[in-house]
Amino acid sequence: MNDTAAMLCFVMILLVPLAALGLALMNTGLGRSRSAAHTMLTAICMMATAALAYFVCGFSFEGVAGHASHIWNVAGKPWSWAGAETPFFSRLPLDGSTPSLVALLQIFSAGLAAIIPLGAGTDRWRLGPACLSSAVMGGLIYPLFAHWAWAGGWLAQMGVLYGMGRGYLDSGGAGCIQVTGGLAALSIAWILGPRRGKYGPSGMASAIPGHHTVFVLFSCFLVWVGWLALNASGAMLFAGVPAGMSVLIAINTTLSASLSMLAAAVTTRARFGRPDASLCANGWVAGLVASSAGCAFMAPAVAALIGLVAGVLVILSVEWIDLHLGVDDPGGSISVHTIAGVWGLLALGMFGRVPAAQWLAQLVGVATLFGFVLPVAYTANWLLNRFLPQRISAEGEWQGMDLYELGAGAYPEFVIHREDFIQR
Amino acid sequence: MRIAGFLMLLAGWGIVLSAAALLKTSAARIAFVLAGAGVEVLGLVLVIRSHIVPKGDRYE
């Protein structure tokens, strides 16, 4: 990578935290007012914990493409399973070289993956256990899959080893970040259980509306900028895309998000009589997520159509997960990040400017996400829950996370909640 | 049912990896990768169903 491209990549990476900020603000807005400060503080703490965990040991597990790694011989072929870097970045030259840019982007990406589950666990996930969970994500789960997909691991080598197109492709982290975070969100939602008052005596789901729709919609602009940066920097560092392709990436990302949100608006209008603002915001993020995989490898019209499908899918998915599966996901994290991410990964294989056998490599990647990441994330959080309960007590949930865990509300001068949703 | 579901997820993943590593012909590889994915889907269904609380028991 020449100096100009490296500088562009560095500037892009510095904008990636806007994606995390947007998600944190969106989760805060979609939650209750009594948990607003707690949600935002938990997001910051989770990002910090994941970043530290990645610094301590995550980078050593992930490694960098072309550097030393742990290799197993599988039927005569070399499969790289984990990086072999030293912990604490101790031998990493932090001089603007490609490995240093990778480390910087991955610190942010690990944090982003770690805060995705907060959307599913908001209003009842305790701060301490949430941070421990994010440490596991940043230090183990995320780096392992990221090595396989981005750092010369066996998934990325499927093309070279077995002729599966270019190997598993994932420019902006649809699998590494979004689906990984979404599956962790599913695990957390299962382990925590629904919020009190979410399901009535007949078992029907009550809509617990978010307390600040303006936060939710404003965050769409923040995640947009962050995702443009994430997709462009990821494509340059991990997919070998030249710097000039950032224009195509930005166009594809924007078109995908735009059509996804509009599709969500039309779908909610058709189903509920009026467009739903929070679901439209979910649709916007779903389009960004779906674009992450193939933003560098498809025509703009194709990217737009992929976003359109993502927008419809996420609305149907949110309803199905809430009503039929009985999973309480206040932020829609499971639908937005898992469903849209999987769709984006598979769509790249089917509709992208890629070799014919690419779809098989993408399918192997998706199979790895469900076959490895989901069991590991669930088991890790289940074990954590056995030693340190992750869910707030009933009393704390009634008081609100802000007062119970932090001792102060986010809106101290206002009477902000009634007792509609929670039975004492 | 939950543990069985997770084991099926892992088993399906194993089938996918084995198909990729061991099968030489493209048709056989595709068939067994799809089969492994199918096993994973079954496992996922089991895991999801093991977490579904009957509607009458959801109220707290």
Side-chain angles (χ1 to χ4, degrees), chain A residues 245-258:
Chain A
M245 292 283 279
S246 298
V247 176
L248 173 67
I249 292 167
I251 290 173
N252 284 347
T253 305
T254 302
L255 288 177
S256 180
S258 303

Side-chain angles (χ1 to χ4, degrees), chain A residues 89-184:
Chain A
F89 293 359
S90 55
R91 287 196 201 140
L92 179 68
L94 300 172
D95 56 358
S97 59
T98 299
S100 64
L101 292 173
V102 167
L104 179 61
L105 177 60
Q106 293 305 281
I107 278 189
F108 297 155
S109 301
L112 186 59
I115 70 168
I116 289 171
L118 185 58
T122 194
D123 290 341
R124 60 214 190 280
W125 201 6
R126 293 172 56 218
L127 176 60
C131 290
L132 284 173
S133 176
S134 76
V136 173
M137 173 68 85
L140 180 64
I141 301 173
Y142 171 82
L144 263 181
F145 189 85
H147 174 79
W148 299 345
W150 279 342
W154 60 271
L155 257 182
Q157 297 296 310
M158 283 278 136
V160 170
L161 296 176
Y162 304 110
M164 291 189 201
R166 295 178 54 163
Y168 174 78
L169 271 180
D170 186 7
S171 313
C176 293
I177 303 172
Q178 311 304 327
V179 179
T180 299
L183 291 174

Side-chain angles (χ1 to χ4, degrees), chain A residues 124 186 189-190 194-195 197-200 203-209 272 279 314-332 334-335, chain B residues 48 52-53 55 58:
Chain A
R124 60 214 190 280
L186 179 60
W190 275 333
R195 291 169 288 179
K198 173 64 184 176
Y199 295 98
M204 284 301 294
S206 309
I208 302 179
F272 310 125
L279 286 175
V314 79
I315 302 303
L316 300 177
S317 168
V318 163
E319 200 177 326
W320 180 64
I321 287 174
D322 191 15
L323 296 180
H324 298 284
L325 299 189
V327 177
D328 185 15
D329 180 8
I334 301 165
S335 301
Chain B
I48 289 172
I52 293 179
V53 177
K55 281 191 176 173
R58 290 180 188 175

Side-chain angles (χ1 to χ4, degrees), chain A residues 74-75 79 81 148 154 158 162-164 186 190 194 196-197 199-204 320 322-326 359-360 363-364 366-368 370-372 374-375 378 382 391 423, chain B residues 2 5-13 16-24 26 29-31 33-34 36-37 40 44 47-60:
Chain A
V74 177
W79 282 35
W81 285 90
W148 299 345
W154 60 271
M158 283 278 136
Y162 304 110
M164 291 189 201
L186 179 60
W190 275 333
R196 291 173 67 82
Y199 295 98
S202 63
M204 284 301 294
W320 180 64
D322 191 15
L323 296 180
H324 298 284
L325 299 189
W359 71 271
L360 194 59
L363 183 60
V364 173
V366 171
T368 303
F370 281 93
F372 172 78
L374 178 58
Y378 187 94
W382 181 84
R391 184 178 175 133
Q423 305 294 326
Chain B
R2 188 171 305 174
F6 279 119
L7 288 175
M8 283 186 71
L9 280 171
L10 286 166
W13 184 46
V16 168
L17 295 191
S18 302
L22 300 175
L23 296 175
K24 303 290 184 223
S26 175
R29 182 182 287 157
I30 290 173
V33 167
L34 289 173
E40 283 199 38
L44 188 62
V47 171
I48 289 172
R49 286 180 66 89
S50 73
H51 283 96
I52 293 179
V53 177
K55 281 191 176 173
D57 297 335
R58 290 180 188 175
Y59 175 65
E60 279 190 33

Side-chain angles (χ1 to χ4, degrees), chain A residues 24 27-29 31-32 35-44 118 122-123 401-402 406:
Chain A
N27 292 334
T28 301
R32 291 189 182 133
S35 306
H38 184 275
T39 302
M40 190 57 83
L41 177 65
T42 305
I44 300 170
L118 185 58
T122 194
D123 290 341
M401 306 289 286
D402 288 356
L406 306 182

